[in-house]
């Protein structure tokens, strides 16, 4: 069974590649060749945005599965339809669980929950991509909606443009960190190795044709608990300053916190994973959030190459926290 992954070296896709190879798939990555390839995979060096070059590269090729990890706007999937129609038996599009209705009418989210997120362009554009794909006659699409998925570094709630390191660094320096609301909003984080079990089980699965699935753990923790777990792994006590999402939307306009908070992180949700479990018997999450966050934090602390400093965000935090005190 042959699979072509567009991307394949990221947080989610890297775990999926590893799992697919374990399951005996012949995996080829289509990317620009800027990152080292995982062991045991083939390669097509091309820029997916250069449609003509990709068309030439796959002209005589056929894949059982094409998995698209880096499409974000409708034009991306319209291009993919032109490229891969007739060249694959299944096209898997990575959407996002943040596309679901915000705020939700029902706390429990199923795949039939409407895709209505007016707060975050990222989410609404992913939903638009889904509609384009499902409206295309005879294009064999499967849609996968991950929520927060992590592996080598922990995920945080309020961060700058350069990632989570500055939040963890503030904890290490005994400086307060910011959370929206009162920090009790429940959230789900799924370890990439567990997500990959569900994803690979959908590859080549006839039940997945023209279907959408979210793939998450069933476990939830509050953001307060998540930050306490990260701090505990780092061997420090965490100081949390709670700021309303309304205030973050205004004070963090530069970081688009309105979209991220109201459209995702500050909205409590619980995912019903019965649909993916019905077609993927091997999808069982075995990494608890506490265990996974602890391992990810320890790896983060031991990996200087992952620790990208963000002095601008650090100064912004100090400024906002100082305002909070008065």
């Amino acid at each position: 069974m042959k699979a072509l992954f567009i991307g394949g070296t990221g947080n989610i896709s890297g775990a999926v590649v590893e799992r697919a190879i374990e399951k005996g798939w012949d995996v080829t990555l289509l990317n620009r060749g800027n990152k080292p390839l995982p062991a045991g995979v083939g390669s097509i060096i091309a820029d997916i945005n250069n449609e003509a070059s990709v068309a030439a590269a796959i002209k005589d090729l056929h894949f059982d599965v094409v998995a698209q990890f880096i499409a974000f706007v409708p034009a991306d999937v319209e291009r993919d339809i032109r490229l891969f129609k007739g060249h694959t038996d299944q096209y898997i599009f990575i959407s996002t669980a943040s596309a679901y209705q915000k705020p939700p009418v029902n706390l429990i989210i199923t795949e039939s929950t409407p895709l209505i997120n007016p707060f975050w362009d990222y989410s609404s554009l992913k939903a638009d991509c889904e509609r384009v794909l499902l409206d295309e006659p005879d294009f064999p699409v499967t849609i996968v909606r991950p929520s927060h998925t992590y592996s080598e570094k922990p995920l945080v709630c309020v961060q700058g443009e350069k990632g989570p390191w500055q939040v963890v660094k503030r904890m290490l320096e005994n400086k307060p960190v910011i959370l929206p609301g009162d920090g009790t909003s429940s959230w789900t984080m799924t370890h990439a190795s567990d997500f990959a079990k569900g994803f690979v089980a959908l590859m080549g699965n006839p039940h997945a044709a023209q279907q959408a699935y979210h793939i998450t753990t069933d476990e939830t923790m509050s953001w307060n608990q998540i930050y306490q777990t990260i701090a505990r792994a780092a061997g420090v006590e965490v100081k949390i300053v709670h700021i309303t999402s309304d205030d973050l939307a205004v004070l963090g306009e530069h970081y688009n916190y309105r979209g991220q908070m109201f459209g995702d992180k500050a909205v409590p949700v619980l995912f019903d994973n019965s649909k993916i479990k019905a077609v993927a018997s091997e999808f069982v999450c075995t990494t608890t959030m506490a265990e996974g966050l602890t391992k990810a934090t320890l790896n983060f602390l031991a990996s200087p190459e992952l620790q990208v400093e963000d002095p601008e965000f650090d100064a912004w935090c100090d400024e906002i926290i100082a305002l909070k005190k008065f």
Side-chain angles (χ1 to χ4, degrees), residues 95-118 123-124 127-128 130-131 145 212 214 263 269 271:
S95 185
T96 174
S98 67
Y100 288 122
Q101 184 180 47
K102 300 295 186 302
V105 172
N106 191 331
L107 178 65
I108 299 176
I109 302 297
T110 72
E111 284 82 357
S112 62
T113 298
L115 302 182
I116 306 171
N117 187 338
S123 305
S124 59
D128 290 342
E130 291 193 27
R131 285 185 274 271
R145 301 172 184 144
H214 50 241
V269 292
F271 295 100

Side-chain angles (χ1 to χ4, degrees), residues 224-264:
N224 286 335
Q225 291 172 323
I226 290 167
Y227 272 38
Q228 289 160 0
T229 301
I230 293 171
R232 191 177 304 116
V236 297
E237 294 287 332
V238 62
K239 296 179 180 179
I240 298 174
V241 173
H242 296 106
I243 298 178
T244 69
S245 295
D246 285 322
D247 286 342
L248 282 174
V250 175
L251 298 170
E253 183 178 7
H254 171 68
Y255 296 113
N256 190 26
Y257 285 151
R258 180 179 184 275
Q260 293 185 45
M261 298 304 133
F262 290 104
D264 193 22

Side-chain angles (χ1 to χ4, degrees), residues 58-80:
I58 67 168
K59 182 178 65 171
D60 299 319
L61 301 179
H62 188 276
F63 300 93
D64 298 285
V65 173
V66 170
Q68 170 58 279
F69 293 91
I70 53 173
F72 303 101
V73 298
D76 293 340
V77 295
E78 289 167 351
R79 173 207 61 215
D80 285 0

Side-chain angles (χ1 to χ4, degrees), residues 72-264:
F72 303 101
V73 298
D76 293 340
V77 295
E78 289 167 351
R79 173 207 61 215
D80 285 0
I81 292 168
R82 292 191 297 270
L83 281 170
F84 298 112
K85 198 168 189 178
H87 289 275
T88 187
D89 297 326
Q90 182 187 31
Y91 173 93
I92 304 181
F93 172 63
I94 309 301
S95 185
T96 174
S98 67
Y100 288 122
Q101 184 180 47
K102 300 295 186 302
V105 172
N106 191 331
L107 178 65
I108 299 176
I109 302 297
T110 72
E111 284 82 357
S112 62
T113 298
L115 302 182
I116 306 171
N117 187 338
F119 300 102
W120 201 6
D121 287 345
Y122 167 77
S123 305
S124 59
L125 287 169
K126 283 283 194 177
D128 290 342
C129 289
E130 291 193 27
R131 285 185 274 271
V132 168
L133 290 164
L134 291 171
D135 285 344
E136 180 65 23
D138 303 321
F139 192 65
V141 64
T142 298
I143 292 165
V144 174
R145 301 172 184 144
S147 186
H148 277 201
T149 307
Y150 69 100
S151 58
E152 59 185 6
K153 52 189 176 183
L155 296 174
V156 298
C157 187
V158 180
Q159 67 178 40
E161 296 173 346
K162 297 182 179 179
W165 171 246
Q166 202 66 43
V167 176
V168 176
K169 188 170 185 283
R170 288 182 68 87
M171 293 181 185
L172 295 171
E173 294 174 346
N174 200 35
K175 298 173 72 173
V177 295
I178 296 171
L179 281 178
D182 61 3
T184 61
S185 177
S186 61
W187 199 248
T188 294
M189 291 188 184
T190 308
H191 197 272
S193 62
D194 284 329
F195 173 88
K197 297 174 189 175
F199 188 100
V200 174
L202 292 175
M203 292 172 56
N205 188 327
H207 298 293
Q210 309 306 117
Q211 296 293 316
Y213 303 86
H214 50 241
I215 303 177
T216 79
T217 179
D218 295 324
E219 185 183 3
T220 64
M221 294 172 69
S222 71
W223 279 110
N224 286 335
Q225 291 172 323
I226 290 167
Y227 272 38
Q228 289 160 0
T229 301
I230 293 171
R232 191 177 304 116
V236 297
E237 294 287 332
V238 62
K239 296 179 180 179
I240 298 174
V241 173
H242 296 106
I243 298 178
T244 69
S245 295
D246 285 322
D247 286 342
L248 282 174
V250 175
L251 298 170
E253 183 178 7
H254 171 68
Y255 296 113
N256 190 26
Y257 285 151
R258 180 179 184 275
Q260 293 185 45
M261 298 304 133
F262 290 104
D264 193 22

